[in-house]
Amino acid sequence: LPPSFVQKVRAKRQAQAGLDQENGGSTNDKTNVERVLICVEGHINSRHAAERLHRCWGSGAGRDIDATKASMDGLLKEYIGSQDVEEASRCLSSLKVPFFHHECVKQAIIMMLEEPANQPKLTSLLTKFSQSGLISDHQMSTGFHRVKQRLPDLELDIPQAGDRFTDLALSLNLSELDEEQTFKFKVVEDLQEFLSSGDMMNFKCSVEELGQPEMHHLLVKRAIMLAFDRGQREREMISQLFSFLYPEVLGTKQFVEGFENILDCIEDILLDHPQAVEMLSLFIARAVIDDILPPSFVQKVRAKRQEDQENRNCQTIVDRILVFVEGHINSRHAAERLHRCWGSGAGRDIDATKASMDGLLKEYIGSQDVEEASRCLSSLKVPFFHHECVKQAIIMMLEEPANQPKLTSLLTKFSQSGLISDHQMSTGFHRVKQRLPDLELDIPQAGDRFTDLVLKMEEVFLKNGAI
């Protein structure tokens, strides 16, 4: 960017300020932009600006992958000679690549397979890294997996690699980590499939097949973490799934442990999910209302944390969550509010949603009130399911060609206003096209009418600038 970039942006915005004030524009955006520009000037004009900015994302952020591997190899070899844990920890920390710590674990394991005499030293180092939290359980397990995948190749150079690896896994207790990691991966796969299909019984069967009830608290944590990344519909599905699994598959103990695990790492979660405090408080309050968590959950967590004063920042965040939970539970009509906490349409039954769409289309044919039809469709709060409305409208036009002008106009208005996206519109047409063989059994002219309708809709959409 040119050095004058900041000045040009500032001058351009000052020129627009008068026009924005006449139009009643907000000053918040201008204030925020000015703050950004001031920060930019501060970075550029600071002492040693070039060096600072080339390292602004951390000293290890732009490291070459081979250089990082070489550094890890060097610190492990140096440790074998010196056995200085503090120096090894400092070197690994200074690389600033916690997401790549599995490489250090992998290299250490390979060194132990190549030279069993190094095993006591490197086993001790990995144990210290794990106990201090420098290398997470996930990274430790991933490093173990990487070596396990490479065993066939390693055995070409180290014939005893397989046996040594098994003994090493037992001594490092990595078999337990491997088992836990496998459970997590499988649960996440099953949860993603459930959020796509909505089949609770299939998910229940999958969990029962996995067994390992001692790890079911991980399912609770994974489900909520996955819900944080999704929309209101998926959050409602997770809340309903918890009720479905309780108490036959997951008991109160697993739910309590799962929610406590999330509270323990809430600081890290907030880095990726700024709304986690509000969302987690709703999940907990909903679980209490659904009798999954005991009413005393909040008091027990608060009492337990008052005894542990180590992390005051985390304690403050957890206190906020607990206050929100109490507010939700003690509010007027708490049960009704919390059963709709993810939106009025989030937990709607699929048949009820289809019936509502059928009703609004039939009402529109009689009244031709576009605003009312738009309001009804918006109130369902299921934008991911708008293709069903398109599909039903098309089938109505195939069944009764006299309705075509009215419904064509409605779909055009929905598209122009952005209420129904192009993707949902296209999906609706595809669904009807796939059903044409069945539709032709009841409507012999369905194929020809559908072809004519597609041509007319394309013409109308292009004419009105809808697509």
Side-chain angles (χ1 to χ4, degrees):
L1 290 175
S4 60
F5 175 78
V6 171
Q7 289 74 21
K8 287 182 178 179
V9 171
R10 185 174 282 131
K12 184 178 179 181
R13 289 190 166 268
Q14 287 173 349
Q16 291 177 343
L19 181 61
D20 289 343
Q21 287 177 353
E22 290 176 10
N23 295 331
S26 171
T27 59
N28 288 337
D29 180 58
K30 292 187 272 297
T31 303
N32 289 332
V33 171
E34 182 60 28
R35 287 174 60 197
V36 173
L37 297 179
I38 290 171
C39 288
V40 172
E41 288 178 322
H43 293 312
I44 294 172
N45 297 327
S46 66
R47 191 179 182 189
H48 306 304
E51 183 178 349
R52 287 175 178 270
L53 288 168
H54 281 135
R55 291 176 173 268
C56 63
W57 308 121
S59 60
R63 289 181 62 89
D64 179 75
I65 190 76
D66 294 326
T68 304
K69 288 182 178 180
S71 296
M72 290 178 176
D73 178 74
L75 75 87
L76 290 171
K77 288 178 178 175
E78 184 177 339
Y79 171 79
I80 291 171
S82 67
Q83 297 184 53
D84 187 340
V85 177
E86 289 187 8
E87 178 63 16
S89 299
R90 187 195 64 75
C91 291
L92 185 59
S93 296
S94 69
L95 296 178
K96 298 188 185 297
V97 285
F99 53 86
F100 198 56
H101 282 175
H102 60 268
E103 174 65 25
C104 183
V105 177
K106 187 186 83 171
Q107 289 191 24
I109 294 172
I110 291 174
M111 286 182 181
M112 288 186 267
L113 297 181
E114 291 175 337
E115 185 50 68
N118 293 328
Q119 185 170 324
K121 299 176 182 177
L122 291 174
T123 300
S124 174
L125 179 65
L126 291 181
T127 302
K128 293 285 174 55
F129 281 167
S130 179
Q131 289 174 342
S132 67
L134 182 58
I135 295 183
S136 67
D137 288 348
H138 174 71
Q139 290 293 315
M140 191 71 74
S141 178
T142 302
F144 175 70
H145 269 292
R146 296 290 166 86
V147 177
K148 189 176 181 179
Q149 291 171 340
R150 283 193 57 196
L151 273 180
D153 295 331
L154 289 170
E155 286 177 329
L156 297 176
D157 299 320
I158 313 168
Q160 303 88 0
D163 295 334
R164 290 177 183 174
F165 179 77
T166 302
D167 295 339
L168 181 60
L170 292 172
S171 66
L172 285 173
N173 207 22
L174 285 171
S175 56
E176 290 184 10
L177 288 175
D178 180 40
E179 190 176 336
E180 181 178 309
Q181 199 67 23
T182 301
F183 180 83
K184 289 178 182 178
F185 288 149
K186 187 67 175 69
V187 160
V188 170
E189 286 180 5
D190 290 340
L191 283 168
Q192 290 172 337
E193 183 178 341
F194 162 70
L195 293 177
S196 298
S197 67
D199 192 337
M200 293 187 189
M201 184 56 70
N202 183 57
F203 180 83
K204 177 185 173 185
C205 293
S206 297
V207 173
E208 288 175 336
E209 287 174 6
L210 280 174
Q212 300 172 307
E214 71 280 0
M215 294 188 187
H216 282 178
H217 64 279
L218 298 173
L219 186 160
V220 177
K221 181 179 178 181
R222 291 291 153 184
I224 293 176
M225 293 298 295
L226 199 59
F228 285 166
D229 289 321
R230 302 298 186 94
Q232 302 287 64
R233 169 180 173 269
E234 288 80 5
R235 290 167 197 150
E236 175 62 27
M237 289 176 72
I238 293 297
S239 290
Q240 291 187 12
L241 179 66
F242 286 166
S243 295
F244 181 76
L245 296 176
Y246 177 83
E248 192 174 339
V249 180
L250 272 73
T252 300
K253 181 180 178 182
Q254 283 93 352
F255 278 108
V256 168
E257 191 173 351
F259 278 108
E260 286 183 345
N261 285 348
I262 298 174
L263 291 171
D264 288 339
C265 57
I266 190 64
E267 277 188 292
D268 296 331
I269 293 172
L270 280 171
L271 297 176
D272 297 319
H273 307 284
Q275 303 300 318
V277 169
E278 292 79 6
M279 287 192 288
L280 183 55
S281 67
L282 285 172
F283 270 115
I284 294 174
R286 174 71 175 268
V288 172
I289 290 294
D290 288 340
D291 294 325
I292 295 170
L293 289 175
S296 59
F297 175 79
V298 172
Q299 288 75 21
K300 287 183 177 178
V301 171
R302 184 173 284 134
K304 185 177 179 181
R305 290 190 166 269
Q306 283 175 349
E307 297 173 3
D308 180 15
Q309 300 291 333
E310 286 186 10
N311 191 337
R312 291 304 307 164
N313 188 36
C314 181
Q315 179 71 18
T316 303
I317 298 170
V318 172
D319 283 339
R320 283 178 57 205
I321 293 172
L322 297 179
V323 169
F324 284 157
V325 171
E326 289 177 320
H328 293 314
I329 294 172
N330 297 325
S331 65
R332 193 178 180 189
H333 307 303
E336 183 179 349
R337 287 174 179 271
L338 287 167
H339 281 133
R340 291 176 173 269
C341 65
W342 305 122
S344 59
R348 287 180 63 89
D349 179 76
I350 194 74
D351 294 326
T353 304
K354 289 181 178 180
S356 297
M357 291 179 175
D358 178 74
L360 77 86
L361 290 171
K362 288 178 178 175
E363 185 178 336
Y364 171 78
I365 291 172
S367 66
Q368 297 183 56
D369 187 341
V370 177
E371 288 187 7
E372 178 62 17
S374 300
R375 187 194 65 76
C376 290
L377 185 59
S378 296
S379 67
L380 296 178
K381 298 186 185 298
V382 286
F384 53 85
F385 199 56
H386 281 174
H387 60 268
E388 175 65 24
C389 184
V390 178
K391 186 187 82 172
Q392 289 192 24
I394 295 170
I395 291 174
M396 286 182 181
M397 288 187 267
L398 298 181
E399 291 175 336
E400 185 50 67
N403 293 328
Q404 187 169 316
K406 297 176 183 178
L407 292 174
T408 300
S409 173
L410 179 65
L411 292 181
T412 303
K413 294 285 174 53
F414 281 167
S415 179
Q416 288 176 333
S417 66
L419 182 57
I420 295 183
S421 67
D422 291 346
H423 174 70
Q424 290 292 316
M425 191 71 70
S426 175
T427 302
F429 272 89
H430 273 292
R431 295 291 167 87
V432 177
K433 187 176 181 180
Q434 291 171 339
R435 282 193 59 196
L436 275 179
D438 295 330
L439 290 170
E440 286 177 330
L441 298 176
D442 300 319
I443 313 168
Q445 303 88 359
D448 296 333
R449 290 178 183 175
F450 180 75
T451 302
D452 294 339
L453 178 62
V454 170
L455 293 173
K456 287 180 181 178
M457 289 295 286
E458 284 181 350
E459 183 181 345
V460 171
F461 276 30
L462 289 169
K463 182 178 179 182
N464 289 278
I467 59 174

